[in-house]
Amino acid sequence: MTVTAYKKHFKTELSDLYTESESAFLSSLFIHKIVGLDQFQQRKFSDQELLTDDEKQLINLIDELKTGKPYQQILGETEFYGMTFFVDENVLIPRPETEELVEFAIQEIKKLKRQDIKILDIGTGSGVIPLVLKKHFPAAQVSSVDFSEKALKTARKNADYHSMEVNFIHADYLNFELTESYDIIISNPPYIGIEEEIEIADSVKEFEPKMALFSPTSDALIFYRKISEDAKKHLNADGLLFLEINQKLGPETLELYQYFSDAQLLKDLSENDRFIFGRK
């Protein structure tokens, strides 16, 4: 089977799951991962026969995709804000909206014009948020809390891969007492209401940790209430708050932070209520 033949086979086999452009992207991605040919080389050597072992691996990848398993988990890695991160079934696959949150946070933190900042990330998952912030603010002290020891194992693996130091804390945040104060609090906590589970794609529910997706109680704002209370005591004066939120609960979430000198509800690129930005 040639490179071109594989791409055609890929598109045909997965036509029920992916659009033509998605199939082209994924088949190219898999060929690069398994064979080592980048997009230019794939065009140049489009009639090149694949090695037998490579062909078997590439066919197996199609079979895995048919189960609905996210391609990032199949590859074991994903790209986020220009960095490569390991991902597995114990962590959420980072979404574009979270990249928007991080990009906005970087812009606002730069305005502080300080190096000695302390950052707290709540619900770290694979560690993408704290590690991107650590890359852009290497002098910052960054701490991250997560309830899942398995998720923290992946986060530590990513920190080691990027040779970065983050203080990862294994704790149930909802029952965890902070002992320090911070200049920045940032979080993308579980915010999907239990009643919304029916709306979530099976490929997400079946392969990504529900603990990281759904509120643990009937109160979808339970994490935001705790963050609000902690920010009163543990966010320094003029400190900044960045939150990713449930698009259906924008005004209700914003109401929790009205004691800030500045609290804003911001939309994502799809025009959904998606972020809270606060300045204490």
Side-chain angles (χ1 to χ4, degrees), residues 50-64:
L50 296 168
L51 297 175
T52 301
D53 286 347
D54 289 347
E55 183 178 324
K56 286 181 180 179
Q57 286 189 66
L58 288 167
I59 295 299
N60 288 338
L61 291 175
I62 292 176
D63 293 336
E64 283 196 83

Side-chain angles (χ1 to χ4, degrees), residues 143-158:
S143 297
S144 288
V145 179
D146 203 285
F147 184 55
S148 168
E149 184 60 61
K150 291 180 178 178
L152 287 174
K153 183 178 180 180
T154 302
R156 292 187 182 103
K157 181 179 178 182
N158 282 318

Side-chain angles (χ1 to χ4, degrees), residues 46-98:
S46 60
D47 294 327
Q48 177 176 301
E49 289 286 334
L50 296 168
L51 297 175
T52 301
D53 286 347
D54 289 347
E55 183 178 324
K56 286 181 180 179
Q57 286 189 66
L58 288 167
I59 295 299
N60 288 338
L61 291 175
I62 292 176
D63 293 336
E64 283 196 83
L65 284 172
K66 286 180 178 178
T67 69
K69 188 174 184 178
Y71 75 88
Q72 298 95 331
Q73 285 185 6
I74 295 173
L75 293 174
E77 63 185 40
T78 191
E79 295 293 316
F80 182 88
Y81 212 78
M83 298 170 65
T84 299
F85 291 94
F86 300 110
V87 292
D88 54 33
E89 70 279 2
N90 300 306
V91 298
L92 281 187
I93 296 165
R95 268 61 173 182
E97 293 83 1
T98 307

